[in-house]
Amino acid sequence: MKKKLLLRLCLILTVLLSLPSCTNEDLYSSSENEKQEILSKSPWKEDQVYIRKVQKIFLQNANLQYFERKYGTVHWDYAMSFGQFDESYLVVPILKGNTVVTAMKVYRIDDRVYFREKNDPEFISFFTDIIFKEISGIDEKVVNSPTSAASKTIEYKCTYRTITVGCFESQSNCEPLSSTVSECKWRETGGGSAQMEICNPLECENGGGGADPGFLYPDPPQDDPCLKASSRNTKAKSIMNKSKVSAAKTEATKTLATDTEEKSFSFGKDSNGDYKTSAVVSGTSNSTNIPGSNGQFTIEGTAHTHLNGYYNAFSNGDLYSFQAANANTPTMLYSFAFASDGSTYLLSITDPVKYATFAAQFPKSGNIDGNNGFKEGTELYNTFKSATEQFISQNFSEDDAFAYATAHILNKYDTGATLSQQDDAGNFNSIFINETITPPAPGETKPTSTFSPTADCNLQ
């Protein structure tokens, strides 16, 4: 949109127990393991709701004979969620006979779960000890990064699990052997190896490995939008650092100062988990299309330029274009805008259902004009204009005022999308706006709203 004068913990939990019993008794056979209710043999508390639901998804989609020939038998009774109880993550051992040969991690992103192989020697050894050896003690430590109670952001959460093999309190002259493994939640936001082939890729459309868009997860929990926004920001920085994405950005912006047409590209991961991009394409002075992937990668997002003389942040029309793109391609959750002054903005989706609801309640046809701005006289126009004018009166630049008003729209109408800006260190920081409403003064009929940027997350 063209510029106008007025529009512009560390929490540590340690549990030490003594377990004098052996854990290698009564291993389920393949048929028992796949059919009966899971009876957890983990010495720790696990997210059994998630484990049961993931097992059901696996059994509904897997060709067990094919999977067992290729990988081995999944032993769900030893599945572990490593301190996560939000239906988001588990690791489960895979055995051939009495040998742990690999492990499978299953993580959830929104309403999709992904099955990845975790062929890690430390985890193979860890599960071997848990299943087949005498465990005399266990320990668990959960460590969160420094957390702001106000902003509710968590950079990562790591769980360290230690087992001690061979020595009990009654034994003397015994040297115990301990081993520790760890899992950090922030690492499980996507990427990594291709999905495991839970069925023969020559015989099934889904589940055949590669860049499959995951499996539908029923009734996902309502995630904290502030934590999800923080996660989106972390992932966005990682995406921008990928070599192919960085190269596409360089190509799209190298002549931005004098360009007369916007440029765009899409990006995502291929079947090997590597980031790829589409070709950079050109559009018009205030719009551009989102290129497809031609089947070469699963699209995660898009990026486009904003020309000199236009606002740095996303136009009002961009909010609708991105929602439509997500409705067509549910894996598309990130959109970047590269401005002519070098700034970069991120529009990320934290709740696709809310975003679709907003677009249905305030349809594009009735709310966006021919210049990609809100139509004059509409509720969105009045709300946006009021916030923009007030930010300008507070001596913010037109570009900042426009971005802040956009962030206010996204939060006020509970859109399920958030706006962030990249700083000099490459980090993306969410833009939150505080609205203070003052009751009408005597003789007046309308309350007064006062807007101000805030570091505190106030997403609904």
Side-chain angles (χ1 to χ4, degrees), residues 13-46:
L13 173 64
T14 303
V15 180
L16 184 61
L17 302 172
S18 293
L19 300 176
S21 61
C22 179
T23 61
N24 66 344
E25 299 175 359
D26 301 325
L27 281 177
Y28 288 157
S29 67
S30 175
S31 60
E32 290 173 330
N33 190 31
E34 304 297 354
K35 294 179 180 179
Q36 65 180 352
E37 183 74 15
I38 303 170
L39 299 176
S40 178
K41 292 185 178 180
S42 169
W44 293 278
K45 184 178 180 181
E46 311 296 351

Side-chain angles (χ1 to χ4, degrees), residues 394-434:
Q394 296 173 21
N395 295 320
F396 288 104
S397 69
E398 289 185 54
D399 277 310
D400 286 345
F402 188 92
Y404 292 161
T406 300
H408 174 59
I409 289 288
L410 293 174
N411 186 28
K412 180 179 178 67
Y413 292 95
D414 194 19
T415 61
T418 60
L419 180 67
S420 305
Q421 185 175 8
Q422 190 176 38
D423 62 22
D424 292 338
N427 301 309
F428 285 89
N429 304 293
S430 298
I431 300 174
F432 303 121
I433 303 301
N434 184 55

Side-chain angles (χ1 to χ4, degrees), residues 56-356:
K56 183 176 181 180
I57 294 170
F58 179 84
L59 294 178
Q60 288 175 339
N61 293 277
N63 179 323
L64 295 182
Q65 290 183 340
Y66 177 84
F67 188 90
E68 290 179 6
R69 284 196 306 268
K70 185 174 181 65
Y71 301 104
T73 302
V74 182
H75 281 261
W76 296 100
D77 45 339
Y78 284 98
M80 297 185 183
S81 57
F82 278 85
Q84 312 298 335
F85 292 93
D86 55 356
E87 299 180 46
S88 65
Y89 184 83
L90 67 80
V91 181
V92 59
I94 295 177
L95 283 72
K96 286 189 175 181
N98 288 330
T99 302
V100 180
V101 292
T102 189
M104 178 171 68
K105 64 179 180 181
V106 187
Y107 59 88
R108 177 180 64 84
I109 300 178
D110 300 328
D111 64 348
R112 296 276 166 173
V113 290
Y114 301 84
F115 297 86
R116 310 284 194 196
E117 186 172 11
K118 190 176 183 68
N119 194 5
D120 186 327
E122 290 186 355
F123 271 79
I124 292 173
S125 176
F126 177 79
F127 278 118
T128 297
D129 289 345
I130 286 286
I131 297 172
F132 296 107
K133 295 186 179 180
E134 299 264 349
I135 306 301
S136 59
I138 64 170
D139 181 70
E140 179 177 76
K141 182 182 295 183
V142 179
V143 179
N144 289 332
S145 68
T147 303
S148 166
S151 63
K152 295 193 266 187
T153 58
I154 297 179
E155 290 301 320
Y156 64 83
K157 176 182 179 181
C158 292
T159 300
Y160 299 83
R161 287 186 170 180
T162 301
I163 57 174
T164 302
V165 178
C167 293
F168 301 99
E169 293 181 0
S170 60
Q171 294 177 300
S172 60
N173 299 322
C174 177
E175 184 176 348
L177 299 176
S178 297
S179 63
T180 300
V181 294
S182 65
E183 279 295 308
C184 294
K185 184 174 182 179
W186 66 271
R187 293 176 181 168
E188 304 305 332
T189 56
S193 59
Q195 286 205 90
M196 299 178 77
E197 296 177 8
I198 68 173
C199 60
N200 190 335
L202 299 178
E203 300 175 353
C204 59
E205 295 181 2
N206 296 317
D212 295 330
F215 295 89
L216 186 65
Y217 186 81
D219 302 319
Q222 295 298 313
D223 295 326
D224 186 328
C226 293
L227 297 181
K228 186 171 287 189
S230 177
S231 175
R232 294 284 189 265
N233 288 336
T234 301
K235 178 73 176 293
K237 179 181 180 180
S238 175
I239 291 172
M240 291 303 299
N241 286 333
K242 302 299 182 183
S243 60
K244 293 295 179 66
V245 178
S246 178
K249 176 186 176 182
T250 298
E251 181 181 349
T253 60
K254 61 185 178 182
T255 58
L256 181 54
T258 57
D259 281 347
T260 58
E261 297 176 339
E262 290 188 358
K263 296 177 180 178
S264 64
F265 62 89
S266 59
F267 57 84
K269 293 192 294 293
D270 64 13
S271 59
N272 294 318
D274 297 323
Y275 271 88
K276 306 290 185 182
T277 70
S278 69
V280 175
V281 300
S282 297
T284 68
S285 62
N286 66 351
S287 67
T288 185
N289 294 323
I290 298 176
S293 68
N294 294 323
Q296 300 301 308
F297 58 89
T298 299
I299 296 180
E300 290 188 0
T302 181
H304 70 278
T305 59
H306 278 185
L307 305 183
N308 188 24
Y310 288 76
Y311 286 111
N312 293 339
F314 295 89
S315 70
N316 304 151
D318 285 339
L319 307 185
Y320 285 89
S321 299
F322 188 39
Q323 190 283 319
N326 170 259
N328 184 61
T329 308
T331 55
M332 184 178 291
L333 300 174
Y334 302 87
S335 180
F336 297 100
F338 306 133
S340 61
D341 69 350
S343 60
T344 298
Y345 284 87
L346 165 70
L347 183 61
S348 61
I349 300 175
T350 57
D351 191 325
V353 174
K354 285 185 176 181
Y355 206 3

Side-chain angles (χ1 to χ4, degrees), residues 367-399:
N367 287 277
I368 297 297
D369 61 24
N371 294 315
N372 268 344
F374 289 128
K375 283 186 178 179
E376 188 171 352
T378 63
E379 178 182 340
L380 294 180
Y381 174 88
N382 293 333
T383 301
F384 189 85
K385 181 173 183 289
S386 175
T388 304
E389 291 176 345
Q390 191 173 130
F391 284 124
I392 290 177
S393 72
Q394 296 173 21
N395 295 320
F396 288 104
S397 69
E398 289 185 54
D399 277 310

